[in-house]
Amino acid sequence: MSDALPIEVTSPTPLLELRGISKEFPGVKALDDVSFAVFPGEVHMLLGENGAGKSSLMKVLCGAYRADAGEFYYKGEKVAIGSAADAQKLGIAVIFQEFSLVPHLDIAQNIFLGREPKGRIPGTIDRSKILADAKRVLGTIGFDIDPSTIVDKLGVAQQQMVEIAKAISQNARILVMDEPTAALSDRETELLFALIARLKADGVSIVYISHRMAEVFALGDRITVLRDGRRIDGVRPADVTPDQLVRMMVGRTVDMTYPRNFADKPGEVLLQVKGLSSSTGISDINIEVRRGEIVGLCGLVGSGRSEVARAIFGADPVSSGEIIFDGKTISGEPDLAARRGIALIPESRKSEGLALLRSVSDNLVVSALRKLFPSGLFDQRSAQRTSDGLIRQLRIATPSARQTVGLLSGGNQQKVVIGKWLAAGSKLFIFDEPTRGIDIGAKSEIFALIDRLVAEGAAALMISSEQVEICHVCDRAYVMREGRIAGHLTRNELTEENIVRLGMHHA
Amino acid sequence: DGETIAVFTKNQTNPFFQTVRVGADNMAKALNAKTLQYIPTKPDSIPEQLSQIEDVVVKKPSAIVFTPVDYKAMVPGVEKINEAKIPVVNITDRSAGGKFLSFVGADDYSLGLETARFLLKTLGGKGNIVIIEGVKGSLTNVDRVRGFNDALKENAGAKLLASQPGNYQRLQALQVMENLMQSNSQIDGVLAANDAMAVGAIEALDGANRKAQVIGINGTKEAIDAIKSGKLLASGDYNGFAQGCLGTMMAIRSLRSQPVIGEIVLKPTVITKDNFQPFDVPLEQRTCPTFEDAGKLGAK
Amino acid sequence: MTDITKEAIVPPRSFLSQDAIQVFYRLLAALLICAVLAVLSDSFLSLGNILNVLRQASLTFFIASGLTLVVLTAGLDLSVGANVALSACIAGTVIHKTGSPALGILTGLACGGIVGLLNGVMVTALRIPSFIATYGMLWVLNGLTYWYMAGETLHGFPAGFRQIGSGYLFGLPIPVYLLLVFLGIGTLFAQRTIWGQEIYAIGANPVAARLSGIPVARRLLLVYAVSGTMAGLASIIFLSRLNSAEADIGESLTLPAIAAVLIGGTSLFGGVGTVFGTFIGALILTLVLNGMNLLSVSANWQPLVTGVIVILAVWLDMKTRRRAQ
Amino acid sequence: MREAAVVSEPNPLQRIPGVAIVLVLLIALFSAIAPGFLSVANLSNVLVQSTILTMLALPMTLIIMTEGLDLSMGAVLTLTSLCVAIVSLATKSMLLGLGAGLLVGAAFGTVNGWLVAILGIPPFVATLGTLGMAQGLSLIVSDGQSVVGIPHSVRDIYSATLLGVPVPIVMALVTYAAFHGLLYHTRFGTYIFALGGNREALRYAGLSPNKLLIAVYALGGAMAGIAGLLMTARMNSGHPTAGLGLEFDAIAAVAVGGTSFERGNGWLLGTLLGVIAVGVLRNGLNLISMPSSVQVASVGVLVIVALFLDGLRSRA
Ligand SMILES: Nc1ncnc2c1ncn2[C@@H]1O[C@H](COP(=O)(O)OP(=O)(O)OP(=O)(O)O)[C@@H](O)[C@H]1O
Ligand SMILES: Nc1ncnc2c1ncn2[C@@H]1O[C@H](COP(=O)(O)OP(=O)(O)OP(=O)(O)O)[C@@H](O)[C@H]1O
Ligand SMILES: [Mg+2]
Ligand SMILES: [Mg+2]
């Protein structure tokens, strides 16, 4: 493996080839006879619906899962990838969808976990070298931060950057990125794209999983589409339109413009927030949401949008200000807000949204227990019926309502988080990044659902980093900057340009 | 006058040691001295009593009245006291080492022997017997059970069915007894190494509507009550009150340069329904024996 | 829905829930121990002995059933034993002073419940991890009890009161009826009420539970109070069964209760387990001790055997659980 | 804003852990009211008394960091203490005794690790089981009796001094230094953080979490072996119940010291402070002759107060 790689994008032999990979979980055929090839120096996009098997294929590729059947070829030679160590020897590095960082170690220790430079005394670590090395790696991806910072103190985006640094530091020939931008802000996304370009120039192959069409066409050299565990097709971006790609992924046509039936006249005021401040860093927030409206809440990552959502829901303590919902002032814990009819779909599905060890059904009914069982007596059958309905409605790919929710694919987990509030009969839905990690088909269905909800008299407050979405579906939007409302945009003013302008620091 | 006597006992849960402490307090009050009680927070904890000794040595009380939680393992502690030149009297369990002014205690072996003999005599020297043991390895238990067994050996007609641990705990003794009754249809006598276990065994017998003669050891108030009501055959008097009194007395006398008795081993008394009256007096109303009585009670 | 998606959805293989399967395996383990004992000892299979075992298991079960709820929320209550001791001593005093068993029972339950509630307050309002909060509480309660009892023993209670612990009704010991009642109530509460569901949800992920609109603090208070009240109930049974109480009765009750919960298949990480499993756990522990008494196993060997059984029981559980998945 | 919170230093007062505050308060209080508390002899007492618990609490910190627990430590300590006594009695050699203690301790630790890592039994249950086994073996090898008559060389370990410092304190300091180095400066230490924080990360890094886990538990057992030597030396005998329940003291010290039971966040110095705080409290209360029932409760109050202060701090 010491021989230099031919930097030849059109090399006839793939760098790595997977043939006939199958992988079955109880009740789920995650991969069914999938073949997949990566050529040197290409960015290979891997697309598919939620639960199509993308992450599973990559986990097989990097040795985290053992395939039931299939063969691996490295530069045309048959190899075995039975463990993470095997994959590493072949120069494969992965940035997982779920973080693989150790919270109470610092950035440098995380980057070089298992590959620490040896100190003078056996067993010890050369502290100055590890810091210097980390600094260098962080430099190559343009991430300026002290490598001795403890990872637990970092935000999601920063953790994602460390994750990337960790993969880069392995000098991999093949780099797998599973939805790397889902948690990144625009600035970090740009850094990442620049990095990808550089790696590509160095002959590194990149497998890139994403649900964002724009990225597919901006970055991809080749595209492989999976559907229900099968390989559907391999194409070049130049040869397809987004519509065609989507049809390959979902097997039908999807309207990607998120149609909305805007009401002529907004309804009565449902939520009124007056001068809200909280120790989490937001101050003097004034927001109004009327029945029948979808109101956007935009701004840069870290501008405090989630904090506003949490404060309204009672999840964070309010230091001053007033929240009037449906004519009455509310203050207290989330259970009070929930009972009055507010729903919060939080931004982190794993830590805040789901009981991963419990079943899909348990998770789907948990917020609606009081409504479904007013007598206080719980009935498993009726809970199951309710969840079966939601599973159908949201097209959640799961073998049954009894499946453990932690075993679903990322996007399907997100659907469960959304689904649990549908049964509760809430009046105001606060969505914090509801479509993060959700495939295009599901996205348009979810927007159709929100549209239906508000048409029936509910309202929604929606936080999203994808400004296109905000512009398409919102009646109007507030833009936040540094913990305050920086401006308000009406339907007519709602453009990406305006959002960015208002949201920028020192605009 | 005004001496402080540090009194060490094994735990705060066993009623026996409460009688020791009250005895010591009574005597100290009578002699114009005062006591400081040291009890491990975890019952019978060796490391803790060792620490307490080390702490007390810093405080330098006039004298110490000492019950080792373990007679062998506490020897280094006693040596620490000796090194600090604090006079110390050993009560209850005889320490395996160290220098003491005096020892005041009862003889566990003969207590076990005598109470068991009494039971066997009542049964006419024969019958099916079970032993409920205390905490494995504690001096009191070893000697008492040895006494039980020797009494059994004297009576060829008596048969030992089982010897099982109740750890000096009422509930455990009750459950052991319940279980033993399942496998033994006829149990005539129960030898329990303390009163709490004896009473536990009686509850088990009552619950199964079975009868057996039961003895315990310590002479606690509940045992006396049970003897009065005829449920308990007898209890060996361990006489903690006298031990506390006499131990403190010896310590104070030595501080005042009065003569002391080097060793007082209280004679075993078997409390039965014929002689319980003197024992049926509330603790607070009892009076300590005098120095002259001490000789009669069992000085060697 | 497209046809392909439909294919991916395979119906569940078994109509039994995972919990039911686990309980079944555990029951099997208990029966296995019974079979071994029946072979080794003639007296084991007598009706008397079986009732005996059930009655002995009941005390552990009362404590452990409340504890199960706490463990389901990913908490732990190390103070249950000390709570039993204090409640028994206070209830005993009340009966002595007033002569009214009813008043004594109420006091015992209330005392246990209040201690539990205090645990709950420490865990929710003061945010002290339950393991530590209840460990601290254990010592505070011990101190209180030692001080209150001052080395004395309470004994001698009215005959009527003593029936609760040692009486029979239609040939069955009264504690066995109580055991069945609380087994039923506990199971219904955990499986068939929305509070039970909420408790499972809290254990599985407290943050998500809070953001799902569950009043987490109130439910936790409830759970700790119930655990305390069950300790109070156990103290009453203890009192009437042994006709006496002293300061150190709790010490030997805590670890067996926790062991019963864990052998019963409830996970310390919360969200998984059943009250019925705990019952079987208590049963297994009692069977082992009963067997060792019947077989006259030397005292020295008893902790060792118990330790091995605890590990074996849980290991078998893990094995079957893996297979079932 | 959270971004700001990362950069700016929080109020330094808020960063002082609860255990340090409690310790300082206790020392101030007892200096004022307990005669003799500040004497060198007494302070040396407190430290010497804390050494055995230190030996248990340090490895317990590492075990808790792996989201584990070792309930068997007290019982294993008891067993190793007996082994030290029996072997040194038979061979008249302290070193052989220590060797036996270490061996038995490490063996038990390895069994714990094996049960937890390979069989996947939850640590609480696995070590509850081995607790029973160690306790049973202690009773069996000693037949419930104390083992006495051991050579003087063993006893000297506890009572001797090195350059005027009692040997147990020297041993504890060396142990602390070793653990500090191990946890914060070696690869093994790094992996301990990962065992509790993110076991998957270790697996992806090509390391075996199972082997590491076993090593951590084995270390705990071996330390119980060393503590067993100290215990035997302290009692000049072996006793079949001497160390029972010490594991809970160790766990309390770890918790008081600010190590959390989740996600591999541990603080060794805090553990040391926790051990000393418990020692100071007991010693001071003995010196002022506090009634024993209050002493019993005070340990509970200490634990609760320290954790409460920590909770306040983390919320601020
Ligand atoms: N460990 C597992 N056990 C059981 N089922 C699994 C497991 N891992 C994945 N699956 C199932 O395999 C299927 C494919 O999942 P995978 O995570 O590969 O989807 P994905 O394409 O990455 O989806 P997403 O876009 O939502 O991340 C899903 O139905 C998922 O529920
Ligand atoms: N400058 C930053 N770079 C990277 N991550 C950040 C930054 N600022 C905050 N974060 C982290 O990003 C996450 C979201 O931030 P926060 O909730 O404060 O703002 P938001 O506007 O709601 O952002 P989001 O778009 O993620 O909802 C948090 O976990 C936070 O710690
Ligand atoms: Mg995925
Ligand atoms: Mg956010």
Side-chain angles (χ1 to χ4, degrees):
Chain A
M1 260 194 299
S2 51
D3 53 328
L5 271 170
I7 305 174
E8 212 180 350
V9 182
T10 51
S11 157
T13 28
L15 186 55
L16 184 73
E17 193 180 355
L18 281 62
R19 286 194 204 145
I21 301 289
S22 292
K23 174 82 194 164
E24 193 170 349
F25 296 107
V28 188
K29 188 129 198 174
L31 295 173
D32 185 4
D33 192 21
V34 175
S35 295
F36 181 74
V38 193
F39 291 90
E42 72 167 353
V43 177
H44 194 142
M45 311 301 288
L46 189 57
L47 303 188
E49 274 185 301
N50 294 131
K54 304 179 295 294
S55 298
S56 301
L57 183 65
M58 289 306 107
K59 284 186 181 163
V60 166
L61 185 144
C62 75
Y65 286 168
R66 199 182 273 272
D68 301 334
E71 293 167 344
F72 304 86
Y73 295 87
Y74 185 77
K75 291 189 186 165
E77 273 171 50
K78 193 168 175 199
V79 291
I81 301 183
S83 69
D86 290 348
Q88 268 179 18
K89 268 187 226 124
L90 293 178
I92 301 170
V94 189
I95 300 163
F96 287 105
Q97 199 169 9
E98 332 301 347
F99 292 141
S100 64
L101 299 179
V102 179
H104 292 287
L105 290 178
D106 63 26
I107 294 178
Q109 285 169 312
N110 264 293
I111 291 178
F112 293 105
L113 188 73
R115 299 173 290 126
E116 296 85 354
K118 293 190 178 72
R120 257 168 297 144
I121 308 166
T124 58
I125 298 167
D126 185 342
R127 186 71 190 154
S128 47
K129 180 156 170 22
I130 198 174
L131 286 179
D133 287 355
K135 190 100 206 153
R136 197 174 35 75
V137 174
L138 291 169
T140 58
I141 63 168
F143 185 33
D144 181 30
I145 191 165
D146 178 2
S148 62
T149 313
I150 300 293
V151 159
D152 194 40
K153 293 206 159 63
L154 301 181
V156 185
Q158 290 166 314
Q159 292 193 15
Q160 181 73 70
M161 292 304 277
V162 175
E163 195 82 41
I164 292 168
K166 183 174 170 181
I168 297 297
S169 73
Q170 299 171 20
N171 295 321
R173 292 190 175 77
I174 300 171
L175 191 55
V176 178
M177 302 186 180
D178 198 345
E179 300 189 40
T181 52
L184 292 189
S185 69
D186 293 347
R187 196 177 67 89
E188 278 102 4
T189 305
E190 276 164 33
L191 284 175
L192 179 67
F193 287 2
L195 176 72
I196 289 176
R198 244 179 304 142
L199 290 171
K200 208 169 116 169
D202 291 347
V204 177
S205 315
I206 290 162
V207 182
Y208 193 107
I209 300 177
S210 175
H211 291 295
R212 296 185 180 167
M213 270 306 153
E215 295 180 355
V216 174
F217 288 95
L219 292 174
D221 295 315
R222 247 148 37 85
I223 301 173
T224 293
V225 179
L226 293 183
R227 192 199 316 156
D228 294 318
R230 287 184 213 140
R231 178 174 184 274
I232 297 301
D233 207 353
V235 291
R236 291 186 176 275
D239 305 338
V240 282
T241 65
D243 282 330
Q244 285 172 319
L245 262 186
V246 171
R247 202 165 37 240
M248 276 190 236
M249 282 161 58
V250 296
R252 68 201 146 88
T253 330
V254 172
D255 184 355
M256 285 199 299
T257 54
Y258 319 131
R260 252 227 65 209
N261 305 306
F262 290 102
D264 313 327
K265 209 166 66 129
E268 71 217 65
V269 176
L270 186 59
L271 173 78
Q272 189 158 27
V273 177
K274 289 188 194 159
L276 183 74
S277 302
S278 157
S279 61
T280 52
I282 50 168
S283 51
D284 197 24
I285 303 293
N286 294 290
I287 285 178
E288 195 185 90
V289 180
R290 291 168 175 270
R291 285 182 189 276
E293 274 188 327
I294 302 179
V295 178
L297 192 57
C298 351
L300 299 177
V301 170
S303 59
R305 300 164 301 173
S306 302
E307 282 71 11
V308 170
R310 289 175 59 89
I312 294 173
F313 193 57
D316 287 336
V318 169
S319 50
S320 69
E322 201 183 3
I323 301 162
I324 303 164
F325 179 73
D326 215 3
K328 275 176 263 164
T329 308
I330 57 168
S331 72
E333 281 284 295
D335 63 289
L336 180 74
R339 216 174 306 175
R340 291 280 180 79
I342 304 183
L344 173 70
I345 287 86
E347 61 180 331
S348 162
R349 60 177 170 252
K350 293 228 155 158
S351 61
E352 300 176 325
L354 295 172
L356 291 172
L357 287 176
R358 306 199 79 210
S359 71
V360 173
S361 163
D362 289 337
N363 275 283
L364 279 172
V365 298
V366 70
S367 293
L369 286 170
R370 211 163 298 277
K371 171 147 179 288
L372 293 174
F373 310 102
S375 66
L377 291 181
F378 176 77
D379 175 28
Q380 186 70 50
R381 270 166 215 280
S382 122
Q384 200 103 350
R385 263 197 305 279
T386 307
S387 3
D388 283 340
L390 287 165
I391 289 172
R392 255 189 313 269
Q393 189 180 1
L394 291 165
R395 300 168 52 81
I396 299 171
T398 170
S400 87
R402 285 229 179 87
Q403 176 77 322
T404 307
V405 91
L407 298 181
L408 297 193
S409 78
N412 282 301
Q413 289 179 4
Q414 182 68 24
K415 292 186 192 171
V416 175
V417 180
I418 296 174
K420 75 175 172 188
W421 285 108
L422 296 183
S426 307
K427 295 179 225 163
L428 173 69
F429 293 83
I430 306 176
F431 293 100
D432 195 349
E433 307 281 6
T435 56
R436 184 174 277 177
I438 285 200
D439 69 51
I440 294 186
K443 222 179 245 185
S444 76
E445 275 162 39
I446 284 169
F447 284 128
L449 190 84
I450 299 177
D451 183 49
R452 215 174 327 131
L453 286 170
V454 299
E456 286 162 7
L461 182 64
M462 197 173 85
I463 298 170
S464 174
S465 296
E466 293 189 43
Q467 283 138 11
V468 199
E469 286 176 16
I470 297 267
C471 297
H472 271 299
V473 303
C474 291
D475 293 72
R476 54 202 180 80
Y478 294 92
V479 183
M480 290 192 67
R481 186 202 313 150
E482 293 175 350
R484 292 168 181 276
I485 301 284
H488 176 254
L489 298 170
T490 61
R491 174 90 206 122
N492 300 330
E493 299 162 346
L494 201 50
T495 61
E496 289 186 49
E497 210 170 43
N498 281 340
I499 294 176
V500 172
R501 187 179 47 81
L502 277 174
M504 285 289 283
H505 294 253
H506 320 293
Chain B
D1 276 22
E3 299 93 338
T4 48
I5 312 294
V7 180
F8 283 77
T9 40
K10 290 190 191 179
N11 59 56
Q12 325 190 33
T13 52
N14 185 342
F16 171 78
F17 292 107
Q18 183 64 11
T19 64
V20 172
R21 290 189 285 267
V22 173
D25 285 346
N26 267 9
M27 180 53 80
K29 203 172 286 158
L31 295 177
N32 254 328
K34 68 177 206 286
T35 58
L36 298 175
Q37 302 286 355
Y38 289 94
I39 320 166
T41 57
K42 262 193 231 127
D44 298 2
S45 163
I46 296 169
E48 231 183 290
Q49 195 177 49
L50 279 167
S51 297
Q52 285 185 326
I53 289 176
E54 286 159 3
D55 295 348
V56 166
V57 163
V58 170
K59 245 178 101 85
K60 283 217 174 297
S62 316
I64 292 175
V65 173
F66 185 69
T67 316
V69 289
D70 182 81
Y71 68 115
K72 290 177 186 166
M74 288 308 299
V75 172
V78 178
E79 288 170 351
K80 281 226 169 81
I81 301 176
N82 291 157
E83 271 166 38
K85 304 220 161 29
I86 300 171
V88 51
V89 175
N90 184 195
I91 61 170
T92 309
D93 285 1
R94 194 191 295 269
S95 170
K99 289 193 293 292
F100 292 96
L101 282 175
S102 168
F103 170 75
V104 182
D107 180 353
D108 282 291
Y109 170 75
S110 40
L111 266 176
L113 187 71
E114 293 302 330
T115 43
R117 275 181 180 161
F118 183 77
L119 178 124
L120 289 165
K121 200 171 90 203
T122 312
L123 292 175
K126 58 184 188 339
N128 293 331
I129 310 293
V130 298
I131 293 177
I132 305 182
E133 302 175 21
V135 174
K136 264 278 167 190
S138 72
L139 180 62
T140 50
N141 181 57
V142 173
D143 285 348
R144 288 173 189 184
V145 172
R146 193 158 52 87
F148 289 162
N149 280 312
D150 285 355
L152 284 168
K153 277 184 211 130
E154 297 168 358
N155 295 275
K159 181 163 166 256
L160 179 63
L161 297 176
S163 189
Q164 287 278 301
N167 291 325
Y168 287 144
Q169 294 273 331
R170 194 181 304 268
L171 176 66
Q172 289 181 29
L174 171 116
Q175 299 191 339
V176 164
M177 193 63 201
E178 283 176 345
N179 293 340
L180 291 178
M181 282 191 296
Q182 299 303 327
S183 49
N184 300 286
S185 52
Q186 182 64 38
I187 296 176
D188 304 303
V190 179
L191 300 169
N194 78 353
D195 287 337
M197 294 196 297
V199 174
I202 291 173
E203 298 302 336
L205 287 161
D206 278 0
N209 261 326
R210 283 169 60 166
K211 287 265 172 301
Q213 299 291 6
V214 182
I215 61 104
I217 292 179
N218 275 356
T220 56
K221 179 162 183 324
E222 77 173 317
I224 308 288
D225 288 348
I227 290 172
K228 270 199 286 192
S229 64
K231 297 204 161 220
L232 184 68
L233 177 67
S235 176
D237 178 28
Y238 204 52
N239 211 344
F241 185 76
Q243 290 183 26
C245 290
L246 293 175
T248 311
M249 179 198 284
M250 293 309 144
I252 296 174
R253 283 179 72 90
S254 117
L255 290 172
R256 296 176 183 171
S257 309
Q258 293 165 327
V260 296
I261 305 173
E263 173 152 333
I264 304 173
V265 177
L266 303 171
K267 290 197 189 96
T269 313
V270 180
I271 308 170
T272 68
K273 65 177 185 307
D274 301 321
N275 70 350
F276 68 84
Q277 286 85 358
F279 302 93
D280 194 18
V281 179
L283 212 45
E284 310 81 58
Q285 290 165 28
R286 294 197 198 171
T287 47
C288 278
T290 62
F291 185 64
E292 287 67 38
D293 294 338
K296 284 180 242 149
L297 278 170
K300 273 194 187 155
Chain C
M1 216 175 357
T2 60
D3 291 347
I4 297 169
T5 329
K6 236 181 230 153
E7 264 177 34
I9 299 175
V10 182
R13 288 174 178 182
S14 144
F15 67 94
L16 276 179
S17 72
Q18 180 70 34
D19 278 343
I21 297 169
Q22 287 312 306
V23 166
F24 171 76
Y25 276 117
R26 235 172 244 98
L27 210 52
L28 220 58
L31 288 177
L32 197 76
I33 296 177
C34 288
V36 171
L37 287 178
V39 172
L40 291 179
S41 160
D42 311 332
S43 30
F44 176 76
L45 267 189
S46 68
L47 178 66
N49 193 48
I50 288 168
L51 291 182
N52 179 29
V53 166
L54 280 175
R55 181 161 64 173
Q56 291 181 1
S58 69
L59 193 62
T60 309
F61 172 75
F62 291 135
I63 305 173
S65 61
L67 196 57
T68 308
L69 299 184
V70 173
V71 177
L72 279 177
T73 66
L76 196 58
D77 186 349
L78 292 175
S79 71
V80 280
N83 192 357
V84 171
L86 180 65
S87 302
C89 292
I90 289 181
T93 314
V94 169
I95 297 178
H96 272 187
K97 289 265 157 67
T98 67
S100 156
L103 214 56
I105 294 174
L106 283 182
T107 321
L109 294 177
C111 174
I114 289 170
V115 169
L117 209 56
L118 286 178
N119 281 332
V121 169
M122 286 196 287
V123 171
T124 55
L126 307 188
R127 303 211 201 155
I128 303 174
S130 63
F131 189 94
I132 300 302
T134 57
Y135 181 70
M137 180 58 93
L138 152 78
W139 287 107
V140 172
L141 294 180
N142 274 348
L144 264 178
T145 316
Y146 291 174
W147 166 77
Y148 180 72
M149 295 299 285
E152 299 290 345
T153 303
L154 282 168
H155 69 282
F157 295 103
F161 174 68
R162 304 210 31 224
Q163 286 297 309
I164 304 173
S166 37
Y168 283 80
L169 194 67
F170 309 119
L172 281 182
I174 291 176
V176 175
Y177 287 101
L178 285 173
L179 183 146
L180 294 176
V181 167
F182 280 94
L183 181 57
I185 294 179
T187 304
L188 280 182
F189 177 77
Q191 314 296 334
R192 290 272 179 271
T193 67
I194 60 176
W195 283 3
Q197 290 299 306
E198 289 175 347
I199 286 167
Y200 278 95
I202 291 171
N205 183 347
V207 177
R210 178 164 175 263
L211 292 183
S212 300
I214 294 173
V216 174
R218 287 211 297 281
R219 292 297 170 269
L220 284 179
L221 281 181
L222 172 78
V223 160
Y224 282 91
V226 167
S227 172
T229 310
M230 288 307 289
L233 176 74
S235 81
I236 299 299
I237 305 290
F238 190 101
L239 213 52
S240 74
R241 186 89 196 289
L242 284 126
N243 197 20
S244 59
E246 54 214 331
D248 65 344
I249 57 177
E251 226 181 314
S252 50
L253 297 175
T254 308
L255 277 186
I258 295 176
V261 173
L262 299 179
I263 293 177
T266 302
S267 157
L268 275 173
F269 298 110
V272 179
T274 57
V275 176
F276 193 80
T278 297
F279 164 64
I280 299 175
L283 205 58
I284 289 178
L285 278 180
T286 313
L287 280 173
V288 171
L289 276 183
N290 175 265
M292 286 194 291
N293 286 152
L294 292 186
L295 301 173
S296 280
V297 173
S298 152
N300 288 345
W301 287 86
Q302 297 196 359
L304 186 96
V305 174
T306 314
V308 173
I309 295 281
V310 167
I311 291 182
L312 269 183
V314 175
W315 176 68
L316 270 178
D317 173 43
M318 315 273 316
K319 278 293 261 203
T320 54
R321 192 177 290 263
R322 282 214 192 109
R323 181 150 328 142
Q325 266 188 7
Chain D
M1 262 190 294
R2 289 196 218 167
E3 186 180 14
V6 177
V7 182
S8 81
E9 284 289 299
N11 176 357
L13 269 181
Q14 286 173 6
R15 297 181 59 200
I16 298 177
V19 61
I21 298 173
V22 167
L23 187 56
V24 168
L25 286 181
L26 282 177
I27 291 177
L29 177 74
F30 287 129
S31 306
I33 65 169
F37 175 77
L38 275 187
S39 68
V40 175
N42 189 56
L43 292 182
S44 146
N45 254 353
V46 176
L47 293 180
V48 174
Q49 286 166 11
S50 304
T51 50
I52 293 180
L53 195 55
T54 306
M55 300 283 187
L56 298 186
L58 290 176
M60 188 70 91
T61 310
L62 304 193
I63 292 175
I64 288 178
M65 282 176 65
T66 69
E67 298 192 334
L69 203 59
D70 187 353
L71 293 183
S72 72
M73 247 184 210
V76 171
L77 161 73
T78 308
L79 181 62
T80 58
S81 156
L82 275 170
C83 291
V84 171
I86 292 170
V87 171
S88 63
L89 181 64
T91 63
K92 301 277 171 263
S93 154
M94 185 275 283
L95 282 179
L96 282 179
L98 174 62
L102 272 177
L103 209 68
V104 170
F108 256 92
T110 311
V111 170
N112 281 334
W114 180 75
L115 291 171
V116 170
I118 310 291
L119 294 195
I121 298 176
F124 195 101
V125 190
T127 57
L128 189 66
T130 48
L131 179 159
M133 293 189 203
Q135 193 184 337
L137 283 177
S138 300
L139 285 173
I140 292 165
V141 298
S142 67
D143 193 29
Q145 308 279 338
S146 299
V147 177
V148 292
I150 53 181
H152 253 277
S153 52
V154 173
R155 179 170 188 182
D156 289 344
I157 299 280
Y158 197 76
S159 45
T161 58
L162 196 76
L163 303 175
V165 183
V167 169
I169 297 185
V170 175
M171 285 174 72
L173 286 179
V174 170
T175 309
Y176 178 77
F179 269 82
H180 190 94
L182 181 76
L183 183 60
Y184 298 113
H185 298 291
T186 68
R187 312 171 69 142
F188 183 61
T190 307
Y191 303 153
I192 290 175
F193 279 96
L195 276 174
N198 195 336
R199 227 166 265 188
E200 285 302 303
L202 276 181
R203 217 164 273 139
Y204 291 137
L207 296 156
S208 157
N210 287 351
K211 277 188 208 148
L212 290 165
L213 255 190
I214 294 177
V216 173
Y217 280 91
L219 180 64
M223 287 308 297
I226 298 180
L229 173 72
L230 276 183
M231 182 69 105
T232 304
R234 185 172 195 203
M235 303 186 300
N236 198 25
S237 58
H239 190 274
T241 62
L244 296 186
L246 275 184
E247 66 278 356
F248 274 103
D249 290 2
I251 294 168
V254 173
V256 166
T259 291
S260 82
F261 285 67
E262 275 161 16
R263 304 208 309 144
N265 187 11
W267 194 43
L268 270 185
L269 184 62
T271 298
L272 193 64
L273 295 181
V275 170
I276 295 176
V278 174
V280 165
L281 179 70
R282 286 236 165 97
N283 171 267
L285 292 179
N286 277 335
L287 289 186
I288 61 170
S289 305
M290 192 52 92
S292 186
S293 48
V294 178
Q295 293 201 24
V296 174
S298 65
V299 177
V301 173
L302 171 83
V303 171
I304 293 172
V305 167
L307 268 280
F308 174 58
L309 287 179
D310 266 350
L312 277 188
R313 189 175 52 105
S314 69
R315 244 177 298 171

